């Protein structure tokens, strides 16, 4: 159980939620796991849904406290709310901002600053941890280039310009990505990003990691009442969760890329976990995917200190924390959206 930004996150599986007076009570079988007053809560997010009493749902609906149900893997199931009071205003504001390219750019640039900052941190960390195994000067030059791009983005209010600068930063980072693969070099290498289909083992892993991360961010956005399909950097396209793609930008490197590199460099995944199809695409085997997903779930349980909130949370709750911060910005509770800047 974790309270964060007036949201109660229940991460233990098989917990039943009930009401006692003005308090939410967490029950697992006959054991009482916790009890918390409801009067300061805006929402309750339960992973591994077992059940919630009608009395609790009615109490929360009357007081505009949403109850969100997720699977243990973070897939969004449902959101229980009362009569529309605040969420319709939030979604209308989201749509209004999305229609205005200047306002969209002011949020989008923070997503991309977060992305580039975290890429820079990854490069700097490599120079610190593996100075004898990489070209330190090359990595330092890449880091400096990313810094200069961030300065250009900081005051930019043009979406096309932001996308262009992000592309430059991605090129610099991708040119160094292969050098961060320190083990199994014959079987794992990165030349360029190939998506549909992935053409090598590394791209197959990156595609799976990005898909999982996009699902997590979409669920987090739905959980706070935002529309995952109305974005700011990524514009509207049928069937594309544009805002989820926006929100995951700052987490791509520090969350997904680092995860993939760790699995390769620690030899958790090896060449036997892939198969090449007749069309040249590379996919993971069933056993390889199982190992990947098990490691992903373990990663989500690791504890960190959120750089903006200063609170200890699990990696799995980071998309939810960022979604909450984005909703607060759109409600004018925060002057700017604070990106996730890992340190």
């Amino acid at each position: 159980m974790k309270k964060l930004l007036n949201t109660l996150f229940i991460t233990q599986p098989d917990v039943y939620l009930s009401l006692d007076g003005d308090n939410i009570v967490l029950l697992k079988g006959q054991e009482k796991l916790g009890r918390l007053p409801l009067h300061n809560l805006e929402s309750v997010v339960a992973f591994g849904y077992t059940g919630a009493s009608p009395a609790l749902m009615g109490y929360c609906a009357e007081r505009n406290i949403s109850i969100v149900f997720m699977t243990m893997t973070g897939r969004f199931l449902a959101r229980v709310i009362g009569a529309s009071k605040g969420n319709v205003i939030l979604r209308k504001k989201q749509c209004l901002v999305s229609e205005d390219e200047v306002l969209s750019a002011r949020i989008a640039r923070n997503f991309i600053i977060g992305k580039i900052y975290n890429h820079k941190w990854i490069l700097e960390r490599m120079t610190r941890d593996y100075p004898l195994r990489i070209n330190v000067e090359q990595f330092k030059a890449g880091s400096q280039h990313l810094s200069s791009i961030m300065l250009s983005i900081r005051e930019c209010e043009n979406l096309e310009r932001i996308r262009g600068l992000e592309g430059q930063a991605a090129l610099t980072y991708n040119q160094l990505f292969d050098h961060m693969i320190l083990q199994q070099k014959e079987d794992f290498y990165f030349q360029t990003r190939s998506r549909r289909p992935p053409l090598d083992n590394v791209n197959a892993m990156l595609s799976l990691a990005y898909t999982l991360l996009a699902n997590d961010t979409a669920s987090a956005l739905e959980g706070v009442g935002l529309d995952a399909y109305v974005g700011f950097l990524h514009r509207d396209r049928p069937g594309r969760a544009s805002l989820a793609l926006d929100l995951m930008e700052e987490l791509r490197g520090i969350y997904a890329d680092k995860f993939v590199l760790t699995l390769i460099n620690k030899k958790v995944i090896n060449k036997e976990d892939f198969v090449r199809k007749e069309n040249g695409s590379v996919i993971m085997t069933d056993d390889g995917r199982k190992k990947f997903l098990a490691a992903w779930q373990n990663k989500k349980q690791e504890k960190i200190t959120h750089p903006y909130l200063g609170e200890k949370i699990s990696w799995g709750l980071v998309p939810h924390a960022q979604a909450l911060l984005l909703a607060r910005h759109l409600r004018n509770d925060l002057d700017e959206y604070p990106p996730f800047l890992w340190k």
Side-chain angles (χ1 to χ4, degrees):
M1 181 173 68
K2 176 70 178 177
K3 184 180 176 184
L4 184 68
L5 294 174
N6 293 333
T7 296
L8 177 65
F9 291 95
I10 301 159
T11 55
Q12 299 98 323
D14 305 324
V15 172
Y16 184 79
L17 313 179
S18 66
L19 182 70
D20 183 8
D22 293 322
N23 303 289
I24 183 173
V25 178
L26 282 59
L27 301 171
K28 189 166 186 177
Q30 300 301 313
E31 181 185 0
K32 184 182 291 187
L33 297 181
R35 175 190 179 97
L36 197 72
L38 282 160
H39 62 272
N40 286 328
L41 292 181
E42 294 177 0
S43 62
V44 177
V45 180
F47 293 82
Y49 165 64
T50 295
S53 72
L56 175 66
M57 289 191 282
Y59 180 100
C60 290
E62 288 178 1
R63 291 158 179 80
N64 201 32
I65 302 171
S66 64
I67 304 179
V68 181
F69 300 113
M70 307 269 189
T71 67
M72 280 305 296
T73 58
R75 182 171 60 85
F76 177 81
L77 292 175
R79 187 168 186 266
V80 178
I81 57 174
S84 294
K85 296 176 183 176
N87 292 324
V88 64
I89 297 173
L90 175 62
R91 290 200 181 214
K92 284 180 72 174
K93 178 65 178 294
Q94 178 187 358
C95 291
L96 286 171
V97 172
S98 180
E99 290 296 318
D100 187 314
E101 291 211 1
V102 173
L103 294 178
S104 292
R106 290 173 184 171
I107 298 177
R109 67 190 181 192
N110 282 12
F111 293 139
I112 299 305
I113 285 172
K115 177 181 183 177
I116 298 174
Y117 179 97
N118 291 330
H119 281 176
K120 174 181 168 65
W121 180 88
I122 292 171
L123 300 184
E124 290 290 342
R125 186 71 179 264
M126 288 294 296
T127 64
R128 189 192 74 183
D129 293 347
Y130 304 102
L132 301 180
R133 304 188 66 177
I134 62 169
N135 185 327
V136 172
E137 290 185 4
Q138 188 178 12
F139 271 69
K140 287 290 185 182
S143 175
Q144 290 172 7
H145 187 221
L146 295 184
S147 294
S148 67
I149 293 175
M150 277 193 287
L151 290 175
S152 299
I153 291 176
R154 188 66 192 92
E155 303 300 327
C156 185
E157 294 187 343
N158 180 281
L159 284 174
E160 283 303 315
R161 174 67 173 155
I162 291 172
R163 294 189 188 103
L165 291 168
E166 187 275 334
Q168 294 178 31
L171 181 63
T172 296
Y173 172 76
N174 287 340
Q175 287 174 341
L176 296 170
F177 193 88
D178 186 64
H179 298 282
M180 293 187 276
I181 300 172
L182 304 177
Q183 300 289 340
Q184 309 184 83
K185 294 290 290 184
E186 290 186 5
D187 303 306
F188 293 90
Y189 47 83
F190 182 86
Q191 296 173 339
T192 187
R193 182 79 178 102
S194 56
R195 298 173 176 83
R196 300 182 185 89
L199 299 177
D200 55 61
N201 297 347
V202 174
N203 273 292
M205 295 175 73
L206 289 173
S207 291
L208 180 53
Y210 293 157
T211 298
L212 294 171
L213 183 56
N215 289 337
D216 287 346
T217 53
S219 294
L221 291 164
E222 293 288 347
V224 301
L226 289 166
D227 190 331
Y229 288 82
V230 179
F232 306 122
L233 178 67
H234 295 83
R235 309 311 285 172
D236 295 346
R237 183 184 296 174
R240 180 171 75 177
S242 296
L243 188 59
L245 296 178
D246 286 355
L247 190 65
M248 70 178 280
E249 287 291 352
E250 62 206 77
L251 301 176
R252 281 180 183 267
I254 199 61
Y255 200 131
D257 293 358
K258 283 283 290 178
F259 173 76
V260 167
L261 288 168
T262 297
L263 293 188
I264 297 170
N265 289 333
K266 290 190 174 181
K267 300 183 180 179
V268 176
I269 298 290
N270 54 57
K271 64 179 181 179
E272 281 75 28
D273 293 316
F274 300 86
V275 60
R276 184 176 293 276
K277 305 193 80 174
E278 291 180 1
N279 65 354
S281 64
V282 175
I283 61 172
M284 298 192 77
T285 65
D286 288 343
D287 287 342
R289 195 177 301 108
K290 287 177 184 176
K291 288 194 290 185
F292 190 100
L293 293 174
W296 182 264
Q297 289 305 114
N298 289 335
K299 169 73 174 178
K300 289 169 70 172
Q301 300 305 315
E302 292 177 9
K303 298 292 184 181
I304 63 164
T305 300
H306 192 284
Y308 178 79
L309 300 173
E311 293 194 40
K312 278 196 173 295
I313 62 173
S314 64
W315 267 113
L317 290 185
V318 170
H320 296 268
Q322 295 308 118
L324 284 166
L325 291 169
L326 178 58
R328 289 202 164 193
H329 169 61
L330 291 172
R331 290 192 181 104
N332 296 320
D333 294 334
L334 292 173
D335 291 337
E336 273 193 276
Y337 165 72
F340 184 84
L341 305 177
W342 188 235
K343 300 174 182 178

